[in-house]
Amino acid sequence: MTLALRVPEELSARVPAEQRGPGRGRDAVRLLVSRGTAVSHHAFVELPRLLRAGDLLVVNTSSTLAAAVDGRIGPARVVVHFSTRGDDGRWAVELRDPDGKGTTRARAGGPAGTRVRLPGGVRLTLEEPVAAVSERLWWARVAGAGVLGLLREYGRPIRYSYTERDQPLSVYRTVFALPSPDGSGSAEMPSAARPFTARLVAELVSRGVQFAPVTLHTGVASVEAHEPPYPERFSVPEASARLINAVRAGDGRVVAVGTTAVRAVESAAGCDGVVRARAGWTDLVVTPERGVRVVDGLLTGLHEPEASHLLMLEAVAGRAAIDRGYEAALRGLYLWHEFGDVHLLLPEEGPHAEHCGSNSW
C-alpha cells in the first residue's frame, strides 16, 4: 500500500513533546481518531474518554537498546546499528555512514568479510546478508566482547536526520518497558506507546480499561527502502493470552498499541482467533489479504506514505479509513515519526475477521 501524498519536512517531530514547551509531558501530543471513515481530532490525554470499560490495550514491554555504535573500516568512519541477535550468537547489523550532522545516511551493504573495528578492542565481521532480497542488513560475528556490554558502554540510541539532537536512552523507552532477563531489547523504540504516562495509565485502569503485556523486540527499520519487517523475537505470556481471549468473548475491544503489538499477538493466534501462549521468532507480515484475527483497533504513529506498516493498518481498518485519516492528518498539520502525534483506528463495528493462512509458529 502506498498513499498518494507527500509529508512536508516541517511536519517531522524534531524533539520529544516534553521538550517543546514548559510544563509539557510525554502525553502532550495530538490524537487523530478514525472510526471507519469518520475522523475526529483530540488531545492524547482524552484517550480514557475515547475507550470504554472492558476494552483491552495490548502493549509491548520491550525496552529500547542503545543500539548505535561508532566504528571504522580501515580509516573510514561508519556507524553500526545492531538490530537483532540470532540464535547462533551472530547479530543482524546495518552499517551506515555518518552524515556530518550527528546522524547517518544509508550506505551500500557488505561485502562479506568486511571487518569493522569497534570501541574497546571489539571486532565485527560481516558474513552474509540477512535476506536474499536486500543487502541492507547483514549477519555479523562479533569478537572481543559481548554485544550487550558494548552497547551499554559505548552505544547510543539510533536516531535519524529528521530529529534535532541526540537524546538520553530514557527518552526512547516507554512507560511499559521492562528489562529482559537476558538483557535483550529493541533496536528502535516501540514508539506508539511513548505518549503514555503513569498517570494516564492509572486513569485508564480506573475507567475499566485493561492491559495485556506482550513482547516483541523490534529490529532496525528501513527508513529509506521501507522493506517488509524481518523475523523478530516475540513472546505472548499465558496470562495475556487468557485475558485477550476473555475480552474477545465479551463485549470489549482488543486495541493494539503499536504495530509491534499487532505482530506479536497475531503471531500467537490460530485460525480460530484463539490466542495461545507463544514465544520464539515470528516472520508474520500482516496484510489486507491475510487480515487480522484478534485485533479490533490500533493505536499507532503516523507512517511515511511508502511504509510497509501501512499494509497492517489497512488490514485493521480498511483502505478507505487510512486514506481519509492521513488526508486529515496532513490538513491538520499533525506531526510524524517517533516523537510525533498518534492515530487511533477503531474500525466500524462488526464480527471479528477470520482469515486462515500460514502461521509463523
Side-chain angles (χ1 to χ4, degrees), residues 11-20 24-30 64 157-160 162-174 189-192 194-195 301-302 334-342:
L11 293 186
S12 294
R14 296 180 59 77
V15 296
E18 63 271 24
Q19 297 178 17
R20 295 183 204 138
R24 295 170 66 97
R26 285 181 172 225
D27 54 8
V29 297
R30 299 168 69 193
T64 311
I158 291 173
R159 77 176 182 95
Y160 296 105
Y162 51 77
T163 57
E164 188 172 286
R165 57 181 177 269
D166 283 345
Q167 300 283 350
L169 187 57
S170 59
V171 167
Y172 288 91
R173 286 180 170 165
T174 75
M189 174 177 54
S191 56
R194 191 184 188 279
L302 293 165
Y334 279 69
L335 296 180
W336 257 252
H337 301 305
E338 64 265 31
F339 298 142
D341 298 315
V342 284

Side-chain angles (χ1 to χ4, degrees), residues 154-224:
Y154 298 105
R156 62 184 180 276
I158 291 173
R159 77 176 182 95
Y160 296 105
S161 58
Y162 51 77
T163 57
E164 188 172 286
R165 57 181 177 269
D166 283 345
Q167 300 283 350
L169 187 57
S170 59
V171 167
Y172 288 91
R173 286 180 170 165
T174 75
V175 71
F176 304 111
L178 295 173
S180 295
D182 62 358
S184 57
S186 288
E188 298 183 7
M189 174 177 54
S191 56
R194 191 184 188 279
F196 284 87
T197 63
R199 179 175 178 175
L200 188 68
V201 170
E203 184 179 351
L204 285 161
V205 170
S206 73
R207 288 175 175 262
V209 176
Q210 302 179 84
F211 289 83
V214 299
T215 302
L216 186 136
H217 296 315
T218 67
V220 174
S222 169
V223 176
E224 292 84 13

Side-chain angles (χ1 to χ4, degrees), residues 4-359:
L5 55 84
R6 186 187 68 83
V7 180
E9 186 177 341
E10 58 267 23
L11 293 186
S12 294
R14 296 180 59 77
V15 296
E18 63 271 24
Q19 297 178 17
R20 295 183 204 138
R24 295 170 66 97
R26 285 181 172 225
D27 54 8
V29 297
R30 299 168 69 193
L31 175 64
L32 181 73
V33 178
S34 294
R35 293 181 178 86
T37 56
V39 175
S40 57
H41 303 273
H42 305 268
F44 184 74
V45 292
E46 297 177 62
L47 181 64
R49 295 196 293 103
L50 297 167
L51 299 176
R52 60 193 187 210
D55 284 345
L56 177 69
L57 292 176
V58 181
V59 297
N60 186 0
T61 62
S62 182
S63 186
T64 311
L65 301 174
V69 179
D70 292 322
R72 288 186 178 272
I73 300 175
R77 295 176 57 229
V78 296
V79 177
V80 180
H81 288 177
F82 285 87
S83 181
T84 305
R85 180 170 57 182
D87 291 335
D88 59 0
R90 297 186 298 175
W91 279 77
V93 302
E94 179 186 26
L95 302 189
R96 294 179 67 90
D97 288 323
D99 64 0
K101 303 174 184 176
T103 57
T104 60
R105 57 177 174 263
R107 63 172 282 143
T114 297
R115 296 184 178 181
V116 184
R117 302 193 312 277
L118 298 172
V122 178
R123 299 172 304 282
L124 178 151
T125 304
L126 301 185
E127 293 190 350
E128 60 182 337
V130 170
V133 296
S134 170
E135 293 195 353
R136 182 177 67 89
L137 288 177
W138 283 69
W139 287 115
R141 189 77 61 180
V142 179
V147 170
L148 294 174
L150 173 77
L151 300 185
R152 284 193 295 270
E153 187 166 356
Y154 298 105
R156 62 184 180 276
I158 291 173
R159 77 176 182 95
Y160 296 105
S161 58
Y162 51 77
T163 57
E164 188 172 286
R165 57 181 177 269
D166 283 345
Q167 300 283 350
L169 187 57
S170 59
V171 167
Y172 288 91
R173 286 180 170 165
T174 75
V175 71
F176 304 111
L178 295 173
S180 295
D182 62 358
S184 57
S186 288
E188 298 183 7
M189 174 177 54
S191 56
R194 191 184 188 279
F196 284 87
T197 63
R199 179 175 178 175
L200 188 68
V201 170
E203 184 179 351
L204 285 161
V205 170
S206 73
R207 288 175 175 262
V209 176
Q210 302 179 84
F211 289 83
V214 299
T215 302
L216 186 136
H217 296 315
T218 67
V220 174
S222 169
V223 176
E224 292 84 13
H226 298 297
E227 301 155 359
Y230 289 87
E232 294 167 317
R233 291 182 183 273
F234 83 106
S235 173
V236 176
E238 179 67 36
S240 292
R242 288 200 306 266
L243 183 55
I244 293 166
N245 292 331
V247 169
R248 283 178 50 79
D251 296 327
R253 297 170 296 185
V254 176
V255 179
V257 178
T259 57
T260 61
V262 176
R263 195 181 200 198
V265 74
E266 292 288 331
S267 295
C271 288
D272 54 3
V274 175
V275 177
R276 298 169 177 85
R278 299 284 177 184
W281 291 88
T282 177
D283 59 3
L284 177 66
V285 179
V286 178
T287 64
E289 293 73 29
R290 188 268 187 189
V292 288
R293 302 172 184 166
V294 179
V295 172
D296 301 304
L298 172 61
L299 180 71
T300 183
L302 293 165
H303 302 279
E304 292 286 352
E306 304 87 5
S308 59
H309 291 308
L310 290 172
L311 290 172
M312 180 185 290
L313 272 61
E314 184 179 348
V316 173
R319 177 63 186 258
I322 305 306
D323 286 342
R324 186 70 58 86
Y326 272 67
E327 290 167 3
L330 278 178
R331 287 196 307 270
L333 302 180
Y334 279 69
L335 296 180
W336 257 252
H337 301 305
E338 64 265 31
F339 298 142
D341 298 315
V342 284
H343 189 189
L344 177 61
L345 297 161
L346 295 175
E348 295 170 324
E349 295 296 333
H352 295 287
E354 299 286 347
H355 296 270
C356 286
S358 60
N359 271 321

